[in-house]
C-alpha cells in the first residue's frame, strides 16, 4: 500500500510540475505573439489578465483543493517580450541566481560559499556574450527583462527576511 501511495504522489507532483511548465511556456508564447506579431499595445492589460486568472485558479487550488501556491509577477517581463525574442528572454532568466546571491548578501549579509560565486561568473558572462551577439537586441527590452529577473530574487529575499523575523 505504501508504495502505491508513494508512486501516485510522485505522479501527482510530476503532473503539477508539467502543468506549471506548460502553462508558463504557453503564457509566454501567447504574450510574445500578441505583443510582437499581432501588435497588441497593452502589456499591463495582459499582466492583469494573467494575474486575474492566477488569482482565480489559486483560490480554487487553496480553498477547494487545499493546495498552497505562491505566485510571482512582474509586468516588466511582459513588456520585454515586445522587444526581445522568447529565447533571449529565457537566456537572461539565467541571471536569477546571480541576483539572488547579490541581494541576499546586500540585504542580510548572508554569504554564500565562494564556489557559488565562482559558478555564477560563467552564467553572467554567457548572458553578456549572448546580449552582444543577439541580432534582435533592444536596449529597452533588455533593461525591462533584467528588471524582471532582478525583481524575483529581490522579492524572495524580502520574503525570507519577513518570514524569518520574530516581529
Amino acid at each position: 500500500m505504501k508504495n502505491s501511495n508513494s508512486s501516485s504522489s510522485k505522479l501527482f507532483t510530476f503532473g503539477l510540475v508539467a502543468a506549471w511548465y506548460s502553462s508558463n511556456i504557453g503564457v509566454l508564447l501567447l504574450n510574445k505573439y500578441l505583443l510582437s506579431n499581432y501588435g497588441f499595445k497593452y502589456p499591463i492589460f495582459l499582466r492583469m489578465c494573467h494575474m486575474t486568472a492566477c488569482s482565480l485558479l489559486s483560490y480554487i487550488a487553496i480553498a477547494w483543493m487545499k493546495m498552497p501556491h505562491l505566485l510571482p509577477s512582474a509586468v516588466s517581463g511582459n513588456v520585454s517580450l515586445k522587444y526581445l525574442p522568447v529565447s533571449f528572454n529565457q537566456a537572461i532568466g539565467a541571471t536569477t541566481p546571480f541576483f539572488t546571491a547579490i541581494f541576499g548578501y546586500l540585504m542580510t549579509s548572508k554569504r554564500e560559499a565562494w564556489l557559488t560565486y565562482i559558478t555564477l561568473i560563467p552564467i553572467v558572462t554567457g548572458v553578456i556574450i549572448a546580449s552582444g551577439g543577439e541580432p534582435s537586441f533592444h536596449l529597452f527590452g533588455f533593461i525591462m527583462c533584467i528588471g524582471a529577473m532582478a525583481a524575483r530574487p529581490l522579492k524572495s529575499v524580502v520574503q525570507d527576511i519577513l518570514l524569518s523575523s520574530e516581529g
Side-chain angles (χ1 to χ4, degrees), residues 25-46:
I25 291 168
V27 166
L28 187 69
L29 293 174
L30 177 64
N31 287 347
K32 176 66 176 173
Y33 175 77
L34 289 173
L35 293 168
S36 295
N37 299 348
Y38 188 71
F40 193 75
K41 297 182 184 343
Y42 308 104
I44 295 174
F45 178 76
L46 284 178

Side-chain angles (χ1 to χ4, degrees), residues 56-120:
L56 291 173
L57 293 173
S58 295
Y59 176 78
I60 291 169
I62 292 168
W64 295 347
M65 299 172 70
K66 307 296 184 215
M67 293 170 37
H69 191 68
L70 179 63
L71 299 170
S73 63
V75 171
S76 59
N78 265 3
V79 172
S80 73
L81 286 173
K82 184 172 183 170
Y83 302 99
L84 300 175
V86 172
S87 57
F88 186 51
N89 191 294
Q90 292 299 299
I92 295 170
T95 61
T96 301
F98 169 77
F99 286 112
T100 303
I102 297 302
F103 289 139
Y105 176 73
L106 292 175
M107 297 177 75
T108 66
S109 299
K110 179 184 173 192
R111 290 189 177 149
E112 301 294 333
W114 281 108
L115 184 59
T116 302
Y117 294 112
I118 290 170
T119 57
L120 293 175

Side-chain angles (χ1 to χ4, degrees), residues 118-130:
I118 290 170
T119 57
L120 293 175
I121 293 171
I123 294 171
V124 173
T125 303
V127 171
I128 292 169
I129 291 169

